[in-house]
Each structure stands twice: as structure tokens, then as C-alpha cells.
Amino acid sequence: MGVLSNKIEREELKPGDHIYSWRTAYIYAHHGIYVGDGMVIHFTRAAGQETGTGTILDRVLFSSSPTNMGIVCERCGDQSKLHGVINSCLDCFLAGGNLYLFNYSVSSAFFLAKARGGTCTLAASDPAVIVLNRAKYLLDNGFGTYSLFKNNCEDFAIYCKTGLLVVTEFSLGRSGQLASFSAAISAVTSSPLRYLTTGAAGLTVLAGGMYCIGRYVSDIGIRRDVIKIPVANLVAQARIEGPAAAAAAEATIAATAAAAAAAVETTVATEVVMEAGATEMECCAA
């Protein structure tokens, strides 16, 4: 296990480990907390439907995800209808995929060397006994409503390990996978910066640098808009907020989409202005 891969063997697992397994040709990963005795506590919209976008994308990803082909696990039973925080055996959690260990307290150099998000963080993990207590408490009391953008399986696992929550209203969750996605969008929508350099090599370096910076500043171990919340307080607050919290999450998603659209419009407007200016200069020169 290292920079190239976080893959581990089952014999290496320890209770309290944050583990994950890639799904659907490495498009996304499902995360959970290993609690010992071959069992994993994890958070899902429904078994096999971890993406939870609420769009047709769910059907595409679900249709190509590993399934039990109608075979009910002797240890877990039929979990196909379950959702929220559930307890599954390793075989059901992995769904035919490989086993990987999420790293904590990594160096900045190691973090940036891992080009794919959702595999490590600069944040430190709490002791295993605290991690297990959080996971088991949330198994009994829930972790709110599943949301790909604000409250997903990686968010659940990271909270169990660190107790940290993002407190700003307009931001993505703690997920490194979403941070990578957001950083990639920023690199693409910031195309006006391409005028600062010429050539494919320069553009590649610029986009790569923006991607790395975006991932780095979004990491739970770096950002300043996080606080440590006891698990009992988290559950109590979720029960009070109820539907209002879900509505706020939807509003945040809409705001994020609007911001991305605005960035694209700005890009187009910039291109039009610059092209018009270039045309005017050519006319004047003529």
C-alpha cells in the first residue's frame, strides 16, 4: 500500500479502519467503517445504489454495479430494501470489488501525489474506540438523509473517524471524491486563464495546478469551516432540523449548479469580448 494503491488484504484490517471499494469501472467508491468480525458499518441510499443523485444517472450506475443476482447472504440476509446506516459483512460491502484502506494524517506531498480524491486526507483520525462508538451510535440512530453532494458514504466514514463537520451553508460535504469532481470542474470552467499561457503543455500544467489546489484547499484537514461535533449532538440536531435540513441541502445543490452555469457564461462572454477586440484591432490596422 502506498502512493500507487491503497489496496490491502482482509487479514490486515483492524476495527475502526475506514475502508472503501471502487464501483462501476472506478467511477466512484463506496466507503464504510470496519467494526471487526468481518462486518462493516456503512451509509447508503439503498443497497447497491450508493450514488443517490436522484437522476437517471442512478439507473445507469446501478445497472452496471455488482449485484447479488438474487442470492441472499446467509450472514446479512436480504439488505436490498435497506437504506441509511446499515451493518453488512465484508463480502456484501465489497460487492465483488477489491478492498482498500483510506489513509489519515498523510503529508501534503503524499496527498497531492494521490491524483484521485477519496483515498486519503490530511486530517488526523481519532482513536479506534471513539471511531467505533460513533459508527455504532449512528447505526442505531441514523446519519440523516443520504445525499451525493452533502451527506454521502464517504462523509459518514470521515465523520466517524474525525468527528468533523463542515459548518458553512454553501459548500460540498467532506467527501474527497466530490472535492476532486469540484476541482476538475473549476479547472475546466476557468478557461479564460488559458490566455496566460500558450501551447498544450502550458495549458496542461495550468489545469493540473488548479486541480491540485482545488483538492488541497477542500480537504477536511485543511479547510477552516469545520468543527468537531459529538455524535449525540449531531443526531439530536438532525432530528430537530428534519425536512428543513433536506430543503437546505437541495437549495445548496441548486446554488452550486447555478454558480457553475454562471462560470460557463462568464467564460463565453470573455471569449466573445476578446475575439471582438481582436477583430477591431485587425480592422484598425487595415
Side-chain angles (χ1 to χ4, degrees), residues 81-95:
K81 303 298 182 181
L82 297 182
H83 61 88
V85 182
I86 63 176
N87 193 17
S88 306
C89 69
L90 263 175
D91 288 330
C92 290
F93 172 81
L94 295 175

Side-chain angles (χ1 to χ4, degrees), residues 22-28 61 64-66 116:
W22 292 106
R23 301 281 202 264
T24 315
Y26 292 87
I27 294 176
Y28 71 102
L61 293 178
S64 56
S65 297
R116 185 70 181 268

